Amino acid sequence: MSSDRGAAAGSTAAALRHVLGHLVTPLLMCVGMGLAYLGAFHAPEPHDLRVDVIGSGTSAQLLAQTLQDTADGALNVRTVPDRATAMNHLATQASYGAYAPGRHPELLVASASSDTSATVVEKVFTKVAAEHGHPLKVTDMAPTAHGDPTGQGIFFLLVALSIGSYASVAVIGGAGAVLTLRIRAALAIAASLVVSLIGVVFAGPLFGLVDHGLGGLWAMAWLYSAGILMIGVGLHTFLKRWTTLGVMVLFVMLNFTSSGGIFRPELQPGFFGSLHSFWNGAGFVEGVRSHVYFGGHALGRHVLVLALWFVVGLALMGLAGLAESGRRRAAAGAVPAAVVAGAVVGEAGAEAARGRGRHVRAESRTGAEAGEADEALEEELEGAVGV
């Protein structure tokens, strides 16, 4: 009786350790998401936000210098000689507002570049115009599509593409672990194609986030999704159940916060602003903006960022292939040694070996069942995170 109670207590302790071990992942996600999102978004403040003052006279230069001095690093104010130059700066995202002083002051903005940045600039120059007793006219030189009035639809499209991609990693890397790496790579490419097509439907006919350029948007969506899937499936060979946390760090915590979809780098802490220059989410968001609203300015650089992430995914898949080949060779080499050991024992030894074999197989079945439970729990957790 006491042995039964001891066995039950041991089983409960083992199950408790099992659960506590798996709780580490969601708790780390909680800490990581809090640090990333609150660190990036909780207190947006401009720093070195480029704006222009139109005019070459003394009054324009004095206004620019006054704004520069009183902004305490929030603004980077320059004068431009004429309206055409200011419009060119907005079209190439070299500035985020251009103020024309006078009896009828006007502010030029490009909300498609960043609605939040345009709002910050508008607040600054509304106050400037009011100090001179004039109402401010605001002209949007690059308005967003009708279906995306806040200019943040591209960011939420990024979220949908990301979730579809890294959730597919869980399925292909976990449930498809028995498949060859070549088949898993083909599944990753196929899944990225489906995810990108879903994104196009969202962006165009369903919600009207963009009113033209769907072909280019699809190409960037596919390249973005394929990069995530190739990296995630490659990492699964090495990280196993920690893959979920790994892809969450890469493609949610650091990715969404540095993409520029809500706040551009000029409104964020320096760490996230620096990631914006080379992270894949920023490559997608800025690439779509460039393609749809700014005539393809700097589009090649953004596509290059996406392509480099895809190349990293290919490299990880190659490393995963080498690692899996090494494991198969090691497993195959262990079989002949076991056969030789079994052949030299006597009849009694053979019987004992068979008894031990039955015991090992029983333990193997128990281990396999536990492994299946682990995988089921992992997939459930990954699915919940994906939703």
Side-chain angles (χ1 to χ4, degrees), residues 179-196:
L179 301 173
T180 65
L181 189 65
R182 183 173 299 179
I183 294 177
R184 277 178 280 154
L187 287 173
I189 296 298
S192 66
L193 176 61
V194 174
V195 168
S196 63

Side-chain angles (χ1 to χ4, degrees), residues 299-321:
L299 178 60
R301 179 169 63 84
H302 303 312
V303 172
L304 177 61
V305 169
L306 296 174
L308 289 175
W309 279 81
F310 180 74
V311 170
V312 170
L314 291 177
L316 273 172
M317 291 290 280
L319 291 174

